[in-house]
């Protein structure tokens, strides 16, 4: 009896009371709001039901630096419950490659969604990306287990690039860089959701220091551990869904083999510097011989390097190009694969052991359990030159370009057609006989212009040679760009030799397609196209038309977070304050956790509500996880309001901010307007010229210089600045409009001065740059008449009438006149 009392007393004092005390502390912290919701999803209650969006705070806990979601308004993942009737919902699990980095609206899931909706319009297909850059299977396992309530019908998995180079992996700049058993990782992630844990971690004693390995060799013994943990997590994710009879499609991991040189080439231990020097000479000789078409000699040099040490990855990569030169594509592929296997670059190109595990696990479950292997790697290889994918499918080492995303979507699509559509009891006759959407059709459905270039990221190789181990010293291949350019020119077919698109041209086919063939209110049409078109109107400045469309969409389509973001933009730009007030209130009511401080600041500045603007600015700047671009406008505003600073000091500080945040249009515009008020436009101009001389990374310094030169009457210089802006960012439609307008202004001056032929040439360029700028057409017809070109006049009148009759013109009248 005494023993029972003693046990009860011990249980009370050592278990119950501490639990009650900790629970009380947790409840108090939650009541006071001293912590964050760290579940993967944020719930919003709207008039149309509940909406769930990704919780960036959940992902932020795994990183030291501000997270990059890869998806930005108006392309935020927003999942509605209850699921709309007639909807088939597909979830994609993966990392940055599956997400579509660097721009999530062009991931393979988006291609697949557009294709399924076009091929099988009887149902509404929704594909949501449950991916995030930099995470791995540990985090995805937790996300999967906490996403079942969102009612997926099909699950696609494309993961494996970050198992070494990721949180709870082996290296880099993550908070947890020590491999840990999956059960322990899942427990750690769960307890992070406790406010008590979050507050304890603020105490230096409880902070876990980052562990970062500088090198991870291909033969690191910890890789076995990593592989075992990956297998464990993959099985747990599959179990999560097949227990609910949800089919799971797991893809093998593909990578850029041909055009991505290995970053790190490691030597065996205890090798002398003398031997390394001999190895380096053989590598340099091999490159030199290959460049000079002495392929056989190059192979001899490289094979001799293997006799010294066959650990480094680089000789295998170079040998692969030797076999490409000899058209021995099978041997080329073997060597490129070996180079990938021995490359130490963070292991972001997943190694063969990842794919072997994927194949093993899917085979264990089998198709009887509705688990299917999708051979993505093999699929891309079958379409690649020499069976080795390169920049024809990737933007860098592992992230897809449009073509790679499309081919990956096709790989999953074929398996969905074969294994899901017949078993879903869908009302689709002959599902296998429906032709798969072509690449060009799929691009059009996503709003990608037909001439959008696949090779913009050509040879995106680290130019910081200090960070590269054992690269060659020969000048022709010092950073491998020159070497790869020569290899492409010499040994690849013409179809793979495309360069960056020419500046001064833009394909408006997508916009015209939308106007003629797209019904904004047809729920079967791709949602992304609606947003794409509204974005185009915003860029062109057609705010009235945009407002009319967005108001109808908000009324007919319900509460959609991305439509809210667009509506705020349109109301702000059209200065529709009464509607904006209502919209902001409704947005915060429906999406309370989403921070729209940037929009509220712009509104406060427009209303000249300085107290509100200062409060908002300080709030954003004080958040350590906001990027410099996010903070830029707020910092510029506070500098302008700091009355203790001289104008010279303000410009110095503004310059520093603009140099660091060159993609913040609002910041450039704010400083421009402030400079006008101060009567210091010359100072602003001087600042922009200094930024331009430092080789700007965005078109905005050129844009604002163009505005200033135009105001000063220097139209030719304004035109040159606009051309420079286009050369940096060829996708900005508004720049083509500006170029056409400026060329027309210059043509008017030339025409008035009797230089008719020169005016005619400027106008020809103007209508080519932006075909819908009617003042250019009017003057072009006039110049043709004056120079006596009757045939040209007739042709221009015909083309002018064709342009006027285009549906797109109704959206452009307000910005042209």
């Amino acid at each position: 009896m005494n023993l029972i009392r003693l046990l009860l007393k011990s249980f009370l004092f050592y278990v119950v009371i501490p639990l009650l005390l900790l629970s009380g502390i947790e409840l108090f912290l939650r009541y006071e709001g001293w912590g964050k919701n760290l579940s993967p999803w944020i719930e919003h209650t709207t008039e149309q039901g509940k909406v769930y969006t990704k919780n960036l705070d959940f992902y932020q806990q795994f990183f030291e630096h501000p997270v990059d979601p890869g998806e930005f308004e108006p392309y935020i993942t927003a999942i509605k419950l209850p699921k709309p009737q007639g909807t088939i919902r597909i979830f994609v699990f993966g990392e940055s490659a599956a997400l579509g980095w660097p721009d999530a609206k062009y991931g393979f899931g988006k291609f697949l969604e557009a294709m399924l909706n076009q091929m099988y319009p009887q149902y509404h297909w929704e594909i949501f990306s449950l991916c995030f850059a930099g995470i791995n299977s540990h985090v995805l396992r937790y996300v999967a287990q906490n996403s079942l309530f969102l009612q997926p019908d099909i699950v696609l998995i494309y993961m494996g690039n970050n198992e070494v180079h990721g949180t709870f992996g082996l290296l880099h700049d993550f908070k947890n860089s020590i491999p840990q058993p999956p059960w322990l990782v899942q427990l750690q992630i769960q307890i992070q959701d406790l406010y008590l844990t979050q507050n304890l971690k603020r105490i230096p004693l409880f902070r876990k220091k980052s562990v970062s390995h500088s090198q991870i060799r291909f033969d690191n013994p910890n890789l076995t551990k990593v592989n075992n943990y990956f297998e464990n997590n993959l099985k747990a994710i599959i179990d999560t869904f097949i227990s609910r009879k949800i089919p799971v499609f797991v893809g093998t991991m593909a990578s850029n083999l041909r055009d991505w040189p290995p970053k790190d080439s490691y030597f065996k231990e205890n090798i002398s510097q003398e031997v390394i020097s001999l190895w380096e000479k053989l590598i340099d000789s091999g490159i030199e011989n290959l460049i000079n078409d002495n392929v056989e000699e190059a192979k001899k040099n490289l094979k001799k390097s293997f006799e010294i040490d066959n650990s480094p990855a680089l000789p295998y990569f170079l040998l692969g190009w030797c076999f490409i030169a000899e058209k021995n594509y099978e041997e080329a592929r073997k060597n490129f694969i070996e180079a990938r296997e021995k490359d130490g670059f963070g292991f972001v190109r997943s190694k063969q052991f990842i794919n072997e595990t994927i194949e093993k696990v899917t085979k264990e479950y089998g198709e009887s359990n509705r688990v299917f292997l999708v051979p993505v790697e093999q699929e891309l290889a079958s379409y690649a030159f020499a069976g080795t994918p390169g920049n024809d499918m990737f933007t860098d080492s592992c992230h897809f370009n449009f073509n790679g995303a499309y081919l990956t979507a096709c790989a999953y699509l074929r398996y969905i057609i074969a294994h899901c559509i017949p078993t879903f009891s869908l009302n689709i006759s002959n599902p296998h006989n429906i032709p798969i959407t072509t690449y060009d059709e799929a691009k059009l459905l996503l709003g990608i212009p037909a001439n959008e270039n696949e090779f913009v990221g050509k040879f995106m190789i680290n130019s910081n040679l200090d960070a590269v181990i054992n690269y060659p010293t020969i000048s022709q291949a010092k950073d491998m760009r020159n070497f790869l350019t020569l290899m492409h020119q010499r040994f690849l077919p013409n179809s793979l030799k495309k360069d960056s698109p020419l500046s001064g041209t833009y394909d408006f086919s997508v916009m015209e397609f939308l106007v003629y063939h797209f019904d904004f209110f047809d729920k079967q049409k791709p949602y992304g196209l609606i947003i794409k078109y509204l974005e185009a109107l915003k860029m062109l400045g057609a705010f009235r038309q945009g407002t009319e469309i967005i108001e109808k969409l908000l009324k007919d389509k319900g509460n959609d977070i991305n439509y809210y973001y667009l509506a705020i933009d349109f109301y702000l730009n059209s200065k529709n304050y009464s509607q904006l007030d209502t919209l902001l209130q409704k947005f915060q009511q429906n999406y309370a956790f989403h921070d729209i401080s940037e929009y509220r600041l712009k509104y406060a500045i427009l209303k000249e509500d300085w107290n509100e603007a200062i409060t908002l600015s300080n709030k954003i700047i004080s958040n350590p996880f906001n990027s410099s671009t996010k903070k830029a406008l707020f910092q510029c505003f506070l500098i302008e309001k700091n009355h203790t600073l001289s104008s010279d000091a303000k410009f110095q500080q503004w310059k520093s901010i603009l140099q660091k945040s060159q993609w913040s249009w609002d910041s450039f515009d704010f400083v421009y307007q402030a400079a006008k008020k101060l009567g210091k436009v010359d100072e602003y101009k001087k600042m922009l010229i200094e930024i331009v001389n430092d080789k700007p990374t965005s078109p905005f310094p050129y844009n604002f210089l163009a505005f200033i030169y135009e105001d000063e009457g220097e139209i030719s210089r304004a035109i040159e600045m606009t051309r420079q802006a286009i050369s940096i960012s060829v996708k900005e439609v508004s720049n083509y409009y500006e170029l056409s307008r400026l060329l027309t202004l210059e043509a008017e001056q030339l025409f008035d001065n009797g230089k008719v032929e020169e005016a005619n040439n400027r106008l020809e360029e103007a209508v080519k740059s932006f075909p819908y700028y009617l003042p250019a057409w009017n003057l072009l017809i006039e110049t043709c008449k004056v120079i006596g070109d009757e045939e040209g006049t007739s042709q221009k009148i015909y083309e002018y009438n064709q342009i006027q009759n285009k549906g797109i013109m109704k959206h452009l009248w307000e910005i042209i006149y």
Side-chain angles (χ1 to χ4, degrees), residues 688 700-712 714 717-722 738 741-742:
L688 292 173
F700 301 155
Y702 290 114
N703 289 132
F704 283 90
L705 272 174
F707 298 154
I708 293 171
Y709 285 134
E710 183 184 357
D711 287 343
E712 292 175 347
E714 296 188 51
R717 299 190 75 177
I719 289 169
E720 180 54 32
M721 292 301 102
T722 306
E738 280 296 307
R741 186 182 63 79
L742 289 168

PDB file of all heavy atoms in Angstrom, residues 688 700-712 714 717-722 738 741-742:
ATOM      1  N   LEU A 688      21.634  57.372 -61.034  1.00  0.00           N
ATOM      2  CA  LEU A 688      21.287  56.308 -61.978  1.00  0.00           C
ATOM      3  C   LEU A 688      22.443  56.008 -62.936  1.00  0.00           C
ATOM      4  O   LEU A 688      22.720  54.849 -63.246  1.00  0.00           O
ATOM      5  CB  LEU A 688      20.036  56.694 -62.773  1.00  0.00           C
ATOM      6  CG  LEU A 688      18.725  56.758 -62.001  1.00  0.00           C
ATOM      7  CD1 LEU A 688      17.622  57.329 -62.888  1.00  0.00           C
ATOM      8  CD2 LEU A 688      18.318  55.381 -61.490  1.00  0.00           C
ATOM      9  N   PHE A 700      15.547  48.534 -64.508  1.00  0.00           N
ATOM     10  CA  PHE A 700      14.918  49.722 -63.944  1.00  0.00           C
ATOM     11  C   PHE A 700      15.785  50.987 -63.961  1.00  0.00           C
ATOM     12  O   PHE A 700      15.267  52.080 -64.222  1.00  0.00           O
ATOM     13  CB  PHE A 700      14.403  49.440 -62.528  1.00  0.00           C
ATOM     14  CG  PHE A 700      13.388  48.323 -62.469  1.00  0.00           C
ATOM     15  CD1 PHE A 700      13.198  47.590 -61.317  1.00  0.00           C
ATOM     16  CD2 PHE A 700      12.620  48.011 -63.590  1.00  0.00           C
ATOM     17  CE1 PHE A 700      12.270  46.558 -61.269  1.00  0.00           C
ATOM     18  CE2 PHE A 700      11.689  46.975 -63.561  1.00  0.00           C
ATOM     19  CZ  PHE A 700      11.525  46.250 -62.389  1.00  0.00           C
ATOM     20  N   PRO A 701      17.106  50.902 -63.691  1.00  0.00           N
ATOM     21  CA  PRO A 701      17.908  52.137 -63.798  1.00  0.00           C
ATOM     22  C   PRO A 701      17.816  52.744 -65.197  1.00  0.00           C
ATOM     23  O   PRO A 701      17.752  53.966 -65.347  1.00  0.00           O
ATOM     24  CB  PRO A 701      19.328  51.665 -63.473  1.00  0.00           C
ATOM     25  CG  PRO A 701      19.156  50.426 -62.673  1.00  0.00           C
ATOM     26  CD  PRO A 701      17.926  49.783 -63.197  1.00  0.00           C
ATOM     27  N   TYR A 702      17.798  51.890 -66.232  1.00  0.00           N
ATOM     28  CA  TYR A 702      17.665  52.378 -67.603  1.00  0.00           C
ATOM     29  C   TYR A 702      16.282  52.981 -67.838  1.00  0.00           C
ATOM     30  O   TYR A 702      16.145  54.013 -68.506  1.00  0.00           O
ATOM     31  CB  TYR A 702      17.912  51.241 -68.599  1.00  0.00           C
ATOM     32  CG  TYR A 702      19.340  50.785 -68.674  1.00  0.00           C
ATOM     33  CD1 TYR A 702      19.702  49.506 -68.258  1.00  0.00           C
ATOM     34  CD2 TYR A 702      20.341  51.612 -69.172  1.00  0.00           C
ATOM     35  CE1 TYR A 702      21.016  49.071 -68.333  1.00  0.00           C
ATOM     36  CE2 TYR A 702      21.653  51.187 -69.261  1.00  0.00           C
ATOM     37  CZ  TYR A 702      21.987  49.918 -68.840  1.00  0.00           C
ATOM     38  OH  TYR A 702      23.300  49.506 -68.924  1.00  0.00           O
ATOM     39  N   ASN A 703      15.249  52.347 -67.287  1.00  0.00           N
ATOM     40  CA  ASN A 703      13.892  52.868 -67.456  1.00  0.00           C
ATOM     41  C   ASN A 703      13.772  54.298 -66.939  1.00  0.00           C
ATOM     42  O   ASN A 703      13.210  55.180 -67.610  1.00  0.00           O
ATOM     43  CB  ASN A 703      12.872  51.989 -66.718  1.00  0.00           C
ATOM     44  CG  ASN A 703      12.659  50.640 -67.375  1.00  0.00           C
ATOM     45  OD1 ASN A 703      12.677  49.599 -66.719  1.00  0.00           O
ATOM     46  ND2 ASN A 703      12.460  50.628 -68.683  1.00  0.00           N
ATOM     47  N   PHE A 704      14.302  54.517 -65.743  1.00  0.00           N
ATOM     48  CA  PHE A 704      14.142  55.848 -65.141  1.00  0.00           C
ATOM     49  C   PHE A 704      15.059  56.880 -65.785  1.00  0.00           C
ATOM     50  O   PHE A 704      14.708  58.066 -65.854  1.00  0.00           O
ATOM     51  CB  PHE A 704      14.332  55.755 -63.623  1.00  0.00           C
ATOM     52  CG  PHE A 704      13.129  55.175 -62.936  1.00  0.00           C
ATOM     53  CD1 PHE A 704      13.015  53.814 -62.738  1.00  0.00           C
ATOM     54  CD2 PHE A 704      12.079  55.991 -62.536  1.00  0.00           C
ATOM     55  CE1 PHE A 704      11.888  53.264 -62.148  1.00  0.00           C
ATOM     56  CE2 PHE A 704      10.953  55.462 -61.940  1.00  0.00           C
ATOM     57  CZ  PHE A 704      10.841  54.091 -61.740  1.00  0.00           C
ATOM     58  N   LEU A 705      16.209  56.444 -66.278  1.00  0.00           N
ATOM     59  CA  LEU A 705      17.025  57.371 -67.066  1.00  0.00           C
ATOM     60  C   LEU A 705      16.287  57.776 -68.332  1.00  0.00           C
ATOM     61  O   LEU A 705      16.328  58.941 -68.752  1.00  0.00           O
ATOM     62  CB  LEU A 705      18.361  56.717 -67.434  1.00  0.00           C
ATOM     63  CG  LEU A 705      19.505  56.873 -66.432  1.00  0.00           C
ATOM     64  CD1 LEU A 705      20.707  56.051 -66.859  1.00  0.00           C
ATOM     65  CD2 LEU A 705      19.898  58.341 -66.250  1.00  0.00           C
ATOM     66  N   ALA A 706      15.563  56.828 -68.941  1.00  0.00           N
ATOM     67  CA  ALA A 706      14.772  57.134 -70.137  1.00  0.00           C
ATOM     68  C   ALA A 706      13.717  58.187 -69.829  1.00  0.00           C
ATOM     69  O   ALA A 706      13.496  59.120 -70.618  1.00  0.00           O
ATOM     70  CB  ALA A 706      14.116  55.869 -70.679  1.00  0.00           C
ATOM     71  N   PHE A 707      13.052  58.067 -68.663  1.00  0.00           N
ATOM     72  CA  PHE A 707      12.038  59.060 -68.283  1.00  0.00           C
ATOM     73  C   PHE A 707      12.664  60.451 -68.167  1.00  0.00           C
ATOM     74  O   PHE A 707      12.095  61.448 -68.628  1.00  0.00           O
ATOM     75  CB  PHE A 707      11.394  58.684 -66.938  1.00  0.00           C
ATOM     76  CG  PHE A 707      10.661  57.375 -66.937  1.00  0.00           C
ATOM     77  CD1 PHE A 707      10.493  56.656 -65.762  1.00  0.00           C
ATOM     78  CD2 PHE A 707      10.139  56.841 -68.114  1.00  0.00           C
ATOM     79  CE1 PHE A 707       9.828  55.449 -65.748  1.00  0.00           C
ATOM     80  CE2 PHE A 707       9.467  55.631 -68.110  1.00  0.00           C
ATOM     81  CZ  PHE A 707       9.312  54.928 -66.930  1.00  0.00           C
ATOM     82  N   ILE A 708      13.833  60.504 -67.534  1.00  0.00           N
ATOM     83  CA  ILE A 708      14.490  61.803 -67.316  1.00  0.00           C
ATOM     84  C   ILE A 708      14.930  62.397 -68.651  1.00  0.00           C
ATOM     85  O   ILE A 708      14.705  63.596 -68.919  1.00  0.00           O
ATOM     86  CB  ILE A 708      15.689  61.642 -66.356  1.00  0.00           C
ATOM     87  CG1 ILE A 708      15.193  61.268 -64.949  1.00  0.00           C
ATOM     88  CG2 ILE A 708      16.506  62.934 -66.300  1.00  0.00           C
ATOM     89  CD1 ILE A 708      16.300  60.865 -63.986  1.00  0.00           C
ATOM     90  N   TYR A 709      15.560  61.595 -69.502  1.00  0.00           N
ATOM     91  CA  TYR A 709      16.018  62.104 -70.803  1.00  0.00           C
ATOM     92  C   TYR A 709      14.831  62.589 -71.645  1.00  0.00           C
ATOM     93  O   TYR A 709      14.930  63.599 -72.345  1.00  0.00           O
ATOM     94  CB  TYR A 709      16.792  61.032 -71.562  1.00  0.00           C
ATOM     95  CG  TYR A 709      18.189  60.801 -71.017  1.00  0.00           C
ATOM     96  CD1 TYR A 709      18.668  59.510 -70.806  1.00  0.00           C
ATOM     97  CD2 TYR A 709      19.040  61.875 -70.733  1.00  0.00           C
ATOM     98  CE1 TYR A 709      19.950  59.298 -70.319  1.00  0.00           C
ATOM     99  CE2 TYR A 709      20.322  61.663 -70.246  1.00  0.00           C
ATOM    100  CZ  TYR A 709      20.766  60.377 -70.036  1.00  0.00           C
ATOM    101  OH  TYR A 709      22.039  60.178 -69.546  1.00  0.00           O
ATOM    102  N   GLU A 710      13.710  61.882 -71.559  1.00  0.00           N
ATOM    103  CA  GLU A 710      12.525  62.330 -72.310  1.00  0.00           C
ATOM    104  C   GLU A 710      12.061  63.686 -71.807  1.00  0.00           C
ATOM    105  O   GLU A 710      11.739  64.587 -72.589  1.00  0.00           O
ATOM    106  CB  GLU A 710      11.403  61.301 -72.186  1.00  0.00           C
ATOM    107  CG  GLU A 710      10.175  61.694 -73.005  1.00  0.00           C
ATOM    108  CD  GLU A 710       9.005  60.745 -72.829  1.00  0.00           C
ATOM    109  OE1 GLU A 710       9.137  59.733 -72.115  1.00  0.00           O
ATOM    110  OE2 GLU A 710       7.938  61.034 -73.412  1.00  0.00           O
ATOM    111  N   ASP A 711      12.024  63.841 -70.462  1.00  0.00           N
ATOM    112  CA  ASP A 711      11.615  65.136 -69.895  1.00  0.00           C
ATOM    113  C   ASP A 711      12.559  66.256 -70.315  1.00  0.00           C
ATOM    114  O   ASP A 711      12.155  67.412 -70.450  1.00  0.00           O
ATOM    115  CB  ASP A 711      11.586  65.047 -68.358  1.00  0.00           C
ATOM    116  CG  ASP A 711      10.405  64.236 -67.851  1.00  0.00           C
ATOM    117  OD1 ASP A 711       9.445  64.025 -68.644  1.00  0.00           O
ATOM    118  OD2 ASP A 711      10.433  63.784 -66.682  1.00  0.00           O
ATOM    119  N   GLU A 712      13.836  65.900 -70.524  1.00  0.00           N
ATOM    120  CA  GLU A 712      14.822  66.908 -70.936  1.00  0.00           C
ATOM    121  C   GLU A 712      14.816  67.122 -72.448  1.00  0.00           C
ATOM    122  O   GLU A 712      15.596  67.931 -72.961  1.00  0.00           O
ATOM    123  CB  GLU A 712      16.219  66.460 -70.488  1.00  0.00           C
ATOM    124  CG  GLU A 712      16.400  66.463 -68.967  1.00  0.00           C
ATOM    125  CD  GLU A 712      17.751  65.900 -68.537  1.00  0.00           C
ATOM    126  OE1 GLU A 712      18.439  65.278 -69.397  1.00  0.00           O
ATOM    127  OE2 GLU A 712      18.128  66.069 -67.366  1.00  0.00           O
ATOM    128  N   GLU A 714      15.682  64.896 -74.692  1.00  0.00           N
ATOM    129  CA  GLU A 714      16.709  64.096 -75.365  1.00  0.00           C
ATOM    130  C   GLU A 714      16.115  62.727 -75.726  1.00  0.00           C
ATOM    131  O   GLU A 714      16.415  61.703 -75.102  1.00  0.00           O
ATOM    132  CB  GLU A 714      17.939  63.940 -74.475  1.00  0.00           C
ATOM    133  CG  GLU A 714      18.643  65.257 -74.177  1.00  0.00           C
ATOM    134  CD  GLU A 714      19.962  65.050 -73.453  1.00  0.00           C
ATOM    135  OE1 GLU A 714      20.777  64.241 -73.945  1.00  0.00           O
ATOM    136  OE2 GLU A 714      20.160  65.674 -72.396  1.00  0.00           O
ATOM    137  N   ARG A 717      18.449  59.675 -76.576  1.00  0.00           N
ATOM    138  CA  ARG A 717      19.064  59.034 -75.421  1.00  0.00           C
ATOM    139  C   ARG A 717      18.041  58.211 -74.642  1.00  0.00           C
ATOM    140  O   ARG A 717      18.349  57.137 -74.105  1.00  0.00           O
ATOM    141  CB  ARG A 717      19.725  60.081 -74.515  1.00  0.00           C
ATOM    142  CG  ARG A 717      20.830  60.856 -75.211  1.00  0.00           C
ATOM    143  CD  ARG A 717      21.626  61.711 -74.249  1.00  0.00           C
ATOM    144  NE  ARG A 717      22.532  60.899 -73.451  1.00  0.00           N
ATOM    145  CZ  ARG A 717      23.386  61.417 -72.556  1.00  0.00           C
ATOM    146  NH1 ARG A 717      23.432  62.730 -72.377  1.00  0.00           N
ATOM    147  NH2 ARG A 717      24.172  60.643 -71.865  1.00  0.00           N
ATOM    148  N   ALA A 718      16.791  58.705 -74.594  1.00  0.00           N
ATOM    149  CA  ALA A 718      15.729  57.943 -73.935  1.00  0.00           C
ATOM    150  C   ALA A 718      15.491  56.627 -74.665  1.00  0.00           C
ATOM    151  O   ALA A 718      15.293  55.573 -74.039  1.00  0.00           O
ATOM    152  CB  ALA A 718      14.443  58.767 -73.897  1.00  0.00           C
ATOM    153  N   ILE A 719      15.546  56.669 -75.998  1.00  0.00           N
ATOM    154  CA  ILE A 719      15.380  55.454 -76.799  1.00  0.00           C
ATOM    155  C   ILE A 719      16.510  54.469 -76.505  1.00  0.00           C
ATOM    156  O   ILE A 719      16.266  53.260 -76.329  1.00  0.00           O
ATOM    157  CB  ILE A 719      15.348  55.798 -78.306  1.00  0.00           C
ATOM    158  CG1 ILE A 719      14.036  56.512 -78.650  1.00  0.00           C
ATOM    159  CG2 ILE A 719      15.525  54.561 -79.169  1.00  0.00           C
ATOM    160  CD1 ILE A 719      14.003  57.116 -80.035  1.00  0.00           C
ATOM    161  N   GLU A 720      17.740  54.966 -76.431  1.00  0.00           N
ATOM    162  CA  GLU A 720      18.877  54.096 -76.159  1.00  0.00           C
ATOM    163  C   GLU A 720      18.742  53.421 -74.788  1.00  0.00           C
ATOM    164  O   GLU A 720      19.033  52.234 -74.626  1.00  0.00           O
ATOM    165  CB  GLU A 720      20.177  54.904 -76.225  1.00  0.00           C
ATOM    166  CG  GLU A 720      21.439  54.092 -75.959  1.00  0.00           C
ATOM    167  CD  GLU A 720      21.582  52.868 -76.851  1.00  0.00           C
ATOM    168  OE1 GLU A 720      21.122  52.906 -78.032  1.00  0.00           O
ATOM    169  OE2 GLU A 720      22.124  51.853 -76.379  1.00  0.00           O
ATOM    170  N   MET A 721      18.283  54.195 -73.794  1.00  0.00           N
ATOM    171  CA  MET A 721      18.094  53.624 -72.459  1.00  0.00           C
ATOM    172  C   MET A 721      17.014  52.534 -72.474  1.00  0.00           C
ATOM    173  O   MET A 721      17.160  51.493 -71.821  1.00  0.00           O
ATOM    174  CB  MET A 721      17.690  54.727 -71.465  1.00  0.00           C
ATOM    175  CG  MET A 721      18.779  55.755 -71.165  1.00  0.00           C
ATOM    176  SD  MET A 721      20.294  55.042 -70.461  1.00  0.00           S
ATOM    177  CE  MET A 721      21.375  55.016 -71.889  1.00  0.00           C
ATOM    178  N   THR A 722      15.948  52.755 -73.223  1.00  0.00           N
ATOM    179  CA  THR A 722      14.864  51.758 -73.299  1.00  0.00           C
ATOM    180  C   THR A 722      15.355  50.495 -73.987  1.00  0.00           C
ATOM    181  O   THR A 722      15.009  49.376 -73.586  1.00  0.00           O
ATOM    182  CB  THR A 722      13.649  52.346 -74.041  1.00  0.00           C
ATOM    183  OG1 THR A 722      13.270  53.576 -73.411  1.00  0.00           O
ATOM    184  CG2 THR A 722      12.472  51.392 -74.014  1.00  0.00           C
ATOM    185  N   GLU A 738       6.929  51.379 -74.566  1.00  0.00           N
ATOM    186  CA  GLU A 738       7.692  52.616 -74.371  1.00  0.00           C
ATOM    187  C   GLU A 738       8.607  52.885 -75.560  1.00  0.00           C
ATOM    188  O   GLU A 738       8.736  54.030 -76.015  1.00  0.00           O
ATOM    189  CB  GLU A 738       8.521  52.529 -73.083  1.00  0.00           C
ATOM    190  CG  GLU A 738       7.747  52.788 -71.825  1.00  0.00           C
ATOM    191  CD  GLU A 738       7.207  54.211 -71.778  1.00  0.00           C
ATOM    192  OE1 GLU A 738       7.984  55.169 -71.955  1.00  0.00           O
ATOM    193  OE2 GLU A 738       5.980  54.366 -71.595  1.00  0.00           O
ATOM    194  N   ARG A 741       6.561  54.163 -78.457  1.00  0.00           N
ATOM    195  CA  ARG A 741       6.112  55.533 -78.210  1.00  0.00           C
ATOM    196  C   ARG A 741       7.248  56.531 -78.417  1.00  0.00           C
ATOM    197  O   ARG A 741       7.065  57.585 -79.057  1.00  0.00           O
ATOM    198  CB  ARG A 741       5.569  55.631 -76.779  1.00  0.00           C
ATOM    199  CG  ARG A 741       4.923  56.971 -76.427  1.00  0.00           C
ATOM    200  CD  ARG A 741       4.468  56.991 -74.985  1.00  0.00           C
ATOM    201  NE  ARG A 741       5.574  56.859 -74.058  1.00  0.00           N
ATOM    202  CZ  ARG A 741       6.395  57.843 -73.710  1.00  0.00           C
ATOM    203  NH1 ARG A 741       6.236  59.058 -74.241  1.00  0.00           N
ATOM    204  NH2 ARG A 741       7.366  57.650 -72.855  1.00  0.00           N
ATOM    205  N   LEU A 742       8.434  56.209 -77.890  1.00  0.00           N
ATOM    206  CA  LEU A 742       9.573  57.117 -78.020  1.00  0.00           C
ATOM    207  C   LEU A 742      10.044  57.228 -79.467  1.00  0.00           C
ATOM    208  O   LEU A 742      10.394  58.321 -79.944  1.00  0.00           O
ATOM    209  CB  LEU A 742      10.724  56.635 -77.130  1.00  0.00           C
ATOM    210  CG  LEU A 742      10.514  56.804 -75.616  1.00  0.00           C
ATOM    211  CD1 LEU A 742      11.570  56.031 -74.845  1.00  0.00           C
ATOM    212  CD2 LEU A 742      10.529  58.282 -75.215  1.00  0.00           C
TER     213      LEU A 742
END
